Amino acid sequence: MFQTFHSTARPDQGPPRLAALRAALAGAGLDGFIVPRADVHQGEYVSPHDERLAWLTGFTGSAGFAVVLPAIAGVFVDGRYRTQVKVQVDLAHFTPVDWPEVKPADWLREMLPAGGKVGFDPWLHTAREIEDLRAGLEGTAIEICETTNFVDSIWPDQPAPPLGPVRVHPLEVAGESAADKRARLGAELTRAGHAAAVLTLPDSIAWLLNIRGTDIPRNPVVHAFAILEAGGHVTLFIAGGKLSDDVRAHLGPDITLRPPEALEPALRTLTGPVRVDRATAPLAVSRILKDAGVAVAWGQDPCILPKARKNPAEIEGMAKAHLRDGAAMVEFLAWFDRAAKGDGLTEVAAVHALEGFRRATNALEDISFETICGSGPNGAIMHYRVTEDSDRPISAGEVVVIDSGGQYLDGTTDITRTVSVGPVDPEVRACFTRVLQGMIGISRLRWPRGVAGAHLDSVARYNLWLAGQDFDHGTGHGVGAYLCVHEGPQRLSRVSDVPLEPGMILSNEPGYYREGAFGIRIENLVVVEEAAPLPGGDAHRKMLSFRTLTFAPIDLRLVDAAVLSAGERNWLNAYHAEVRDRIGPRLSDAAKTWLEEATRAI
């Protein structure tokens, strides 16, 4: 299996490791140190070599950081992880901090009122992050200073950096050659007056060069750095052992290959202005350039928006992947309904089965993230990862949140369904129906060009808000095409000011969570398209809309149909009819029979 179930959190190891870190800091004359989740590439997911936050604290979530001071060690986590962190860290030694509500600068002001020196590794923090922190500390005696990495210095058995092999991403699914991408982006640099751009995000480099890698489980990316010149030439800084002869031939003569340690000397020899992304590049990159007298031009990574705007081949591939994945999901849901009627079904068993149905497609490259299968109170842990220690029987009267996805050569999937095991409490059905109304609301939206995710997010929450309820995660994230399941910059979130554009693919996943009781989430992926004009609409007003890519039934046993409006009911019935039409022919006879009942009109 791709997924394993051993527990990686070691709360018992936190106190001695924390003591060792504090001793190292005291020896260096420091009062504190910042330990981020991020690696040098600022990706959401990191290799075992870079699991510094988890190694120190026990917290394994995909976002967060720790600030270690002599008397307190704060673990900053957002709303997705506030339940999880309480069971993964030793609360006698680590203090969870609600972030971003509590800013690290405000916390430091309170915890270091007399001032002090707090260190950070400039390769693990972006320029914007440190600028914001320093701005928040203006007027205090607290100094934020660049240092070596003190976690690495006390980690005796730190794993080596990953050396996964690189593969060529076929042109028929990429939809554009690497040479054309380089020329297109190089011309954009020329128009902006930039001589070059430094690329540090693994998915940007993979997309630009039409390569995929195996350095990070679940995300087919390559750990490397690159310098893209205005003329389209690229210098790729990568461990040579990752590259086969076929990959070297694919990269061709216009890609200069250098080892990773050659990056810093190469930066010092550039002629500016050199574009650096303040939000994604390590602070060390701009510091090296400035120290060498190279002009830095702050600007967005030139790959980010072109990568987000999927071309027709990528959209077609994603659609095919979702039909294949949808059939595997329906086979699983039919199996789950049968298995849940007996005894012995557990969360781990369900995850095993779901991966088995995806593997049966003979097209699965990997899962796109660790499957979340949370029954009963575990469903309230938004990013719950089942282990041998946490595994529990799935019992009658519960709802189960199943959030999963697959990596296929032609696309990346991400789907969540919440299913019932027998009759459930009416309050659970009421909450589920509100969540469903939010998902339908996003699915039916039309909006004018220029509107960002922040403007749409509240649509998914409207019915929950009317009931005094909400959820502590964004409504949707961007998704890559056989790349990262979480892709920026597009989001459906109250903090996202990025206008949505045709070709962008996002998740649509409202939810509701009651700690200690149950969780609910429903998720489809959608692609932004030009909306067809409507009779009576403004002819001059160009509108956009979402087209749903995900096809799998929504559990009608949890829907209070009387609460739905006519438009909502019509949407659900039409969606289920499309699920039958698109997925039915791909199923076994037993699953097809189950699907007919699961998608009946209401």
Side-chain angles (χ1 to χ4, degrees):
M1 287 191 70
F2 290 117
Q3 186 150 337
T4 61
F5 303 97
H6 60 275
S7 178
T8 57
R10 296 291 303 276
D12 59 307
Q13 294 297 309
R17 291 170 179 175
L18 180 61
L21 178 57
R22 282 176 168 150
L25 296 177
L30 291 171
D31 300 290
F33 189 70
I34 306 173
V35 183
R37 158 74 174 177
D39 61 13
V40 298
H41 302 285
Q42 295 298 313
E44 178 179 358
Y45 299 98
V46 298
S47 73
H49 171 78
D50 298 301
E51 290 276 10
R52 297 176 182 89
L53 181 64
W55 180 83
L56 177 68
T57 68
F59 171 65
T60 62
S62 64
F65 57 94
V67 182
V68 175
L69 302 179
I72 188 171
V75 182
F76 291 70
V77 296
D78 64 31
R80 296 170 294 172
Y81 296 111
R82 288 173 190 161
T83 302
Q84 177 178 330
V85 71
K86 296 173 187 175
V87 298
Q88 288 194 318
V89 307
D90 185 328
L91 295 174
H93 293 82
F94 294 95
T95 302
V97 181
D98 290 349
W99 169 73
E101 294 88 341
V102 177
K103 302 292 191 294
D106 295 335
W107 188 82
L108 283 169
R109 282 173 175 267
E110 180 181 352
M111 299 302 166
L112 285 176
K117 292 180 65 176
V118 178
F120 71 94
D121 182 343
W123 281 102
L124 301 182
H125 299 267
T126 67
R128 175 171 293 170
E129 183 183 350
I130 298 303
E131 287 169 3
D132 290 347
L133 180 58
R134 285 177 167 150
L137 292 172
E138 283 185 8
T140 73
I142 300 172
E143 179 185 355
I144 304 297
C145 53
E146 299 178 20
T147 67
T148 59
N149 195 296
F150 286 93
V151 174
D152 290 359
S153 72
I154 64 166
W155 191 349
D157 56 350
Q158 183 178 20
L163 288 172
V166 175
R167 296 181 292 176
V168 176
H169 191 52
L171 179 59
E172 57 266 28
V173 287
E176 183 181 13
S177 71
D180 287 347
K181 291 178 182 178
R182 290 189 288 105
R184 178 159 62 96
L185 270 58
E188 192 273 325
L189 291 177
T190 298
R191 287 191 294 272
H194 300 158
V198 181
L199 306 180
T200 62
L201 294 174
D203 54 334
S204 288
I205 295 169
W207 173 84
L208 177 65
L209 301 180
N210 283 348
I211 56 177
R212 297 295 187 266
T214 52
D215 283 331
I216 300 294
R218 321 297 174 239
N219 295 271
V221 296
V222 182
H223 268 188
F225 292 100
I227 297 172
L228 169 66
E229 299 173 11
H233 178 270
V234 167
T235 303
L236 180 64
F237 301 88
I238 187 171
K242 298 180 180 182
L243 305 175
S244 66
D245 290 343
D246 287 344
V247 173
R248 291 174 186 270
H250 163 77
L251 293 173
D254 291 328
I255 310 295
T256 300
L257 301 175
R258 304 284 300 280
E261 58 269 21
L263 174 64
E264 184 167 346
L267 292 173
R268 296 183 182 279
T269 64
L270 292 177
T271 300
V274 175
R275 184 185 296 190
V276 178
D277 192 330
R278 179 184 263 113
T280 64
L283 174 64
V285 169
S286 56
R287 178 180 55 74
I288 292 167
L289 290 169
K290 290 177 179 179
D291 288 350
V294 180
V296 171
W298 297 115
Q300 189 176 66
D301 175 335
C303 300
I304 284 182
L305 274 173
K307 173 169 57 67
R309 305 182 194 110
K310 307 296 184 291
N311 62 44
E314 290 172 315
I315 294 172
E316 180 183 2
M318 290 287 278
K320 289 180 178 178
H322 278 80
L323 292 177
R324 184 187 311 118
D325 196 76
M329 191 71 190
V330 172
E331 293 282 358
F332 164 76
L333 291 172
W335 170 90
F336 183 93
D337 254 14
R338 295 192 301 270
K341 293 174 182 175
D343 295 326
L345 179 60
T346 68
E347 294 168 339
V348 167
V351 174
H352 265 288
L354 178 51
E355 184 172 319
F357 287 115
R358 283 197 167 101
R359 283 182 174 276
T361 66
N362 295 317
L364 186 69
E365 299 286 335
D366 199 344
I367 53 177
S368 55
F369 54 96
E370 299 284 297
T371 296
I372 297 166
C373 181
S375 63
N378 286 345
I381 305 172
M382 297 174 202
H383 280 209
Y384 171 69
R385 175 183 175 271
V386 60
T387 68
E388 290 101 340
D389 297 333
S390 69
D391 188 27
R392 66 188 297 274
I394 295 172
S395 304
E398 293 183 337
V399 290
V400 185
V401 178
I402 304 163
D403 186 351
S404 67
Q407 291 283 13
Y408 303 94
L409 188 63
D410 49 3
T412 300
T413 70
D414 184 1
I415 174 175
T416 307
R417 289 295 183 264
T418 301
V419 296
S420 67
V421 182
V424 300
D425 189 280
E427 171 66 4
V428 175
R429 291 185 73 237
C431 294
F432 181 93
T433 304
R434 294 181 195 115
V435 172
L436 174 61
Q437 288 175 302
M439 196 272 278
I440 293 174
I442 293 291
S443 303
R444 299 174 65 198
L445 270 175
R446 297 168 60 93
W447 68 93
R449 278 184 174 271
V451 167
H455 304 124
L456 306 183
D457 176 79
S458 60
V459 172
R461 303 174 189 268
Y462 173 74
N463 290 93
L464 287 166
W465 285 353
L466 288 179
Q469 299 172 339
D470 202 0
F471 53 96
D472 292 324
H473 57 76
T475 297
H477 55 82
V479 180
Y482 190 42
L483 272 173
C484 299
V485 73
H486 290 171
E487 176 184 85
Q490 71 275 22
R491 295 170 64 189
L492 291 172
S493 165
R494 66 188 71 178
V495 299
S496 179
D497 60 359
V498 177
L500 300 182
E501 300 183 49
M504 288 181 170
I505 293 176
L506 303 99
S507 66
N508 170 13
E509 52 176 311
Y512 179 69
Y513 312 88
R514 189 165 294 176
E515 186 172 349
F518 63 89
I520 297 163
R521 186 162 62 251
I522 310 170
E523 175 186 20
N524 285 343
L525 297 194
V526 293
V527 59
V528 180
E529 294 185 331
E530 301 275 359
L534 293 177
D538 295 339
H540 67 283
R541 218 176 287 281
K542 301 299 183 183
M543 306 289 284
L544 301 176
S545 62
F546 290 125
R547 173 166 63 89
T548 298
L549 296 173
T550 306
F551 295 100
I554 294 161
D555 195 338
L556 294 175
R557 296 167 297 189
L558 292 170
V559 178
D560 185 350
V563 173
L564 299 182
S565 68
E568 291 165 341
R569 189 180 301 108
N570 290 340
W571 183 92
L572 183 58
N573 285 336
Y575 174 73
H576 274 160
E578 194 168 5
V579 171
R580 287 195 304 274
D581 291 344
R582 289 175 175 268
I583 302 298
R586 298 168 172 264
L587 299 176
S588 65
D589 289 344
K592 188 172 183 179
T593 299
W594 177 89
L595 181 64
E596 291 291 331
E597 170 62 19
T599 58
R600 67 188 183 280
I602 60 171

